[in-house]
């Protein structure tokens, strides 16, 4: 307020405060939704030994996610001599918080579906193995794209260029490698961060499309076919 937002009213402050407060409360509700049923199922003896390990890992990841969130917010409250007028959290901690959340969500979904749906027993053909490997690679690319989005948000990199497909008047902006050493640009130069996110986003859509086209050549169960088609639809919408 003293450095930047002189005209902020109490009502405007309450709005952003309640957004943060609601996010924290929702996170705690998620934690209870994991831990309380897990303790109950464990006590009743409904969990197999492998599932116990999985449940412990998920509950531990929930607690780690909360701790990481606190660590991220803490970075936004620290005095930064080089940017007093822009209070923001560390883009590194923001990316870690988002990445941890994606891992937690994916692991939860995978565990739930593994219990609810029987595993398909398909012959291990060469094409099927290649499809699985390609799907794993596409997953990693999408995960990396999402993490790069956290760097865009953390650095307000979306405000640097607002034209597409060019960035301003150029395909490759002049200040792409303005920082030294060069590696620093990937994580701290807003122009480079936005450029990387664009490239990764287009690469992800291309990879998903290629995965879909390749899957059409292989006889797959209806559930798997629906999953691949849904992935393409969500990628295009995204």
């Amino acid at each position: 307020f003293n450095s930047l937002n002189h005209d902020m009213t109490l009502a405007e402050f309450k709005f952003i405060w309640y957004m943060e407060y609601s996010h924290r409360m929702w996170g705690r509700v998620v934690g209870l939704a994991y831990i309380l049923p897990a303790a109950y199922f464990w006590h009743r003896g409904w969990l197999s030994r492998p599932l116990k390990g999985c449940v412990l890992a998920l509950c531990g990841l929930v607690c780690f996610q909360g701790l990481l969130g606190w660590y991220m917010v803490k970075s936004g409250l620290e005095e930064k001599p080089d940017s007093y007028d822009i209070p923001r959290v560390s883009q590194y901690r923001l990316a870690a918080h988002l990445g941890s959340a994606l891992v937690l969500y994916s692991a939860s979904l995978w565990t739930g579906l593994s219990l609810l749906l029987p595993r398909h027993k398909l012959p291990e053909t060469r094409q099927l193995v290649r499809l699985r490997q390609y799907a794993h690679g596409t997953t990693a690319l999408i995960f990396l794209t999402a993490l790069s989005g956290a760097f865009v948000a953390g650095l307000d990199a979306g405000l640097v260029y607002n034209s597409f497909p060019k960035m301003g008047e150029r395909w490759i902006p002049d200040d792409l490698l303005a920082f030294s050493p060069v590696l620093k640009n990937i994580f701290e130069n807003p122009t480079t961060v936005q450029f990387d996110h664009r490239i990764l986003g287009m690469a992800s859509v291309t990879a998903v499309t290629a995965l879909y086209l390749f899957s059409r050549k292989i006889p797959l169960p209806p559930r798997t076919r629906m999953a691949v088609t849904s992935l393409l639809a969500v990628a295009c919408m995204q």
Side-chain angles (χ1 to χ4, degrees):
F1 180 84
N2 290 331
S3 303
L4 185 63
N5 299 311
H6 307 290
D7 57 345
M8 177 177 281
T9 64
L10 182 59
E12 289 172 334
F13 175 77
K14 285 182 177 180
F15 176 75
I16 62 172
W17 189 90
Y18 276 117
M19 286 186 68
E20 173 69 15
Y21 179 76
S22 300
H23 182 68
R24 292 184 181 206
M25 291 301 105
W26 186 254
R28 290 167 185 170
V29 168
V30 170
L32 292 175
Y34 269 87
I35 295 171
L36 293 181
Y40 177 75
F41 296 153
W42 194 300
H43 177 70
R44 298 282 296 188
W46 293 350
L47 303 179
S48 63
R49 187 169 183 178
L51 194 55
K52 284 182 178 179
C54 188
V55 166
L56 282 177
L58 288 173
C59 289
L61 195 53
V62 168
C63 297
F64 175 73
Q65 175 70 2
L67 182 65
L68 200 55
W70 167 81
Y71 184 61
M72 178 193 72
V73 171
K74 183 175 179 291
S75 69
L77 302 176
E78 297 169 351
E79 293 288 347
K80 300 178 180 66
D82 58 337
S83 59
Y84 279 121
D85 61 328
I86 308 175
R88 60 158 62 101
V89 299
S90 163
Q91 69 270 27
Y92 298 100
R93 300 184 192 183
L94 178 60
H97 190 51
L98 175 64
S100 176
L102 290 173
V103 170
L104 173 62
Y105 179 79
S106 301
S108 302
L109 187 63
W110 186 278
T111 303
L113 291 177
S114 298
L115 294 171
L116 291 171
L117 301 174
R119 184 182 180 91
H120 285 305
K121 295 182 179 179
L122 302 175
E124 287 291 307
T125 63
R126 183 180 177 183
Q127 283 186 315
L128 191 62
V129 171
R130 285 182 60 194
L131 179 67
R132 186 182 295 117
Q133 291 173 342
Y134 194 72
H136 290 162
T138 303
T139 301
L141 181 59
I142 294 171
F143 181 74
L144 184 62
T145 304
L147 288 190
S148 74
F151 281 89
V152 172
L155 291 172
D156 285 336
L159 302 178
V160 182
Y161 292 97
N162 59 5
S163 56
F164 187 86
K166 289 185 177 181
M167 298 179 74
E169 298 298 323
R170 302 176 64 88
W171 289 102
I172 300 177
D174 294 329
D175 54 341
L176 188 67
L177 300 176
F179 290 13
S180 182
V182 175
L183 188 62
K184 187 177 181 181
N185 289 278
I186 298 175
F187 304 106
E188 299 185 14
N189 184 341
T191 297
T192 312
V193 166
Q194 189 191 131
F195 181 81
D196 291 344
H197 187 59
R198 290 179 179 219
I199 297 300
L200 286 168
M202 290 184 284
S204 293
V205 174
T206 303
V208 170
T209 304
L211 178 67
Y212 171 79
L213 294 175
F214 181 61
S215 72
R216 301 296 296 176
K217 302 176 181 179
I218 306 173
L220 295 173
R223 197 172 74 208
T224 309
R225 181 79 61 201
M226 182 180 66
V228 177
T229 305
S230 300
L231 177 63
L232 178 63
V234 172
C236 293
M237 183 171 64
Q238 175 71 1

